[in-house]
Amino acid sequence: MAARTLTIDGRLVSARAGESILEAARDAGIHIPTLCYLDGLSEVGACRLCLVEVAGSNRLLPACLTPVSEGMEVQTATERLREHRRAIVELLFAERNHVCAVCVASGNCELQNLAIQVGMTHVRYDYLNPVCAVDISHPQFGIDHNRCVLCARCVRACDEVEGVHTWDVAGRGIHARVITDLGVPWGQAETCTSCGKCLLACPTGAIFRRGTSVAELERDPKRIAQIVAARQERW
Amino acid sequence: MSRITFATVWFGGCSGCHMSLLDLDAWLFDLASKVELVYGPLADQKTFPDGVDLTLVEGAIANEEHLALAREIRRKTRVLVALGDCAVTGNVTALRNLAGDPSGLLQQIYAERGDPTLAVPRAPGIVPRLIERVTPLHAAVPVDHFLPGCPPSAPRIRAMLEALLAGAEPSEIGRFG
Ligand code: SF4
Ligand code: SF4
Ligand code: SF4
Ligand code: FES
């Protein structure tokens, strides 16, 4: 397979043609924060946490969606990028009601981890405090829109791995919400097989198993990639 | 070595952050040798004194008294710390923002759904009026350091106090929740 040579943060890195900057960086042991990216799912570039600077481009590019090219010079952790990342995480906290103290995912939450990673000590923006629904019409699972960060990992896990596409995103901007089937309560969504892959994929406490109390939530998002890999082996 | 003046304040919070402070157990004696407690729920002092070196604030800004005292504290304090998620993010206290303007809610609780002979308590100077939206401390006044957690654990409070007492920058940010 054709190889490409590029530099990431001044380090010479070789990557396969067609690989993304994110994959090349990870192979080289360089960590770029992500939220909407999940191993095993397609990339959507929704969260913009993985933005990097590429010499010759005055736009910031999402590492998860930008393929490597020969001679590319990438910076992943400049002051400007760090400030943007912190602002993105703060905006995510400001947009919904992330009351970590009463969240099933507290202590086991990718958003909380990101806050620490990017050095967020507090949110500089006004909290929007939207009124969000909690849907527990499904017998096994629940969705708490207060915690949803619209990463669409549930949408992709359901569509690409389970293959039924129960989830989707409806609405725009701050009114956007994930929905099941055509916006019916989850318990009435006929396509849902109750497989729990969306639960595995969700980075926050938005999708939870019913009856799980605060900090009881255990989930391993790596299992999505394991399922995908296992399937490729067999087929 | 002379002791620095130290205050703690309890705004819209459950007192859990103060409980965590008390969890410092025997280290409280060390702390007492370095600071003079001049104001707070653990001290019998009615007015916030001038020239306080270090103030820890638990709780969010939820009523007019909090707001006025926060401003007074800021004027009179050198180093102001937001202690715990309520002070840092609004946390549980700010959940009431989802219900909108609190006046309607109070009317419902005290008058409509309760004893119809009762009214919303109004005693200027005694019962502070709720402000429309609960905010974190830094939305009301500038804050120097943030210690999230609900509550922050005693060892983390200690680490922050040790750094501040040594004149160093506190390093650990710590978790929310
Ligand atoms: S989803 Fe994560 S960030 Fe949001 S409230 Fe829960 S623990 Fe906090
Ligand atoms: S429910 Fe979870 S996985 Fe789905 S978009 Fe929201 S945060 Fe992402
Ligand atoms: S942060 Fe938690 S422990 Fe501290 S006052 Fe608020 S609710 Fe209580
Ligand atoms: S991880 Fe690349 S945009 Fe979200």
Side-chain angles (χ1 to χ4, degrees), chain A residues 101, chain B residues 10 12-17 58-59 83-87 91-93 149-152:
Chain B
W10 181 10
C14 74
S15 172
C17 292
E58 164 189 328
L83 177 72
D85 278 358
C86 290
N91 199 30
V92 178
T93 313
C150 180

Side-chain angles (χ1 to χ4, degrees), chain B residues 1 13 23 26-27 34 42 59 61 81 91 97 99 101 106 110 133 139 143 160 163 167:
Chain B
M1 205 178 88
D23 261 351
W27 192 75
K34 297 194 179 78
L42 310 170
I61 304 292
V81 178
N91 199 30
N97 290 348
D101 179 0
L106 290 179
Y110 281 95
R133 284 171 59 82
V143 168
M160 165 165 274

Side-chain angles (χ1 to χ4, degrees), chain A residues 33-37 45-50 62-64:
Chain A
T34 57
L35 180 61
C36 68
Y37 176 87
C47 73
R48 301 279 138 174
L49 268 160
C50 69
C64 65

Side-chain angles (χ1 to χ4, degrees), chain A residues 116-138:
Chain A
I116 294 168
Q117 250 182 61
V118 303
M120 177 185 119
T121 57
H122 64 291
V123 172
R124 290 165 291 177
Y125 308 102
D126 287 343
Y127 286 89
L128 297 186
N129 296 129
V131 176
C132 293
V134 179
D135 177 355
I136 49 162
S137 59
H138 191 287

Side-chain angles (χ1 to χ4, degrees), chain B residues 46-132:
Chain B
K46 307 295 178 231
T47 53
F48 197 86
D50 286 325
V52 176
D53 291 309
L54 175 61
T55 300
L56 307 185
V57 172
E58 164 189 328
I61 304 292
N63 66 35
E64 286 177 344
E65 187 182 48
H66 298 157
L67 191 58
L69 186 53
R71 290 182 179 141
E72 187 183 350
I73 289 168
R74 182 67 276 189
R75 279 199 308 276
K76 295 176 169 179
T77 301
R78 202 162 51 80
V79 177
L80 183 59
V81 178
L83 177 72
D85 278 358
C86 290
V88 176
T89 73
N91 199 30
V92 178
T93 313
L95 277 172
R96 83 143 150 91
N97 290 348
L98 305 186
D101 179 0
S103 54
L105 198 66
L106 290 179
Q107 180 66 22
Q108 268 186 19
I109 293 165
Y110 281 95
E112 287 156 28
R113 305 244 175 105
D115 182 342
T117 63
L118 293 182
V120 178
R122 255 181 270 271
I126 296 174
V127 182
R129 243 169 40 102
L130 296 183
I131 50 176
E132 197 173 315

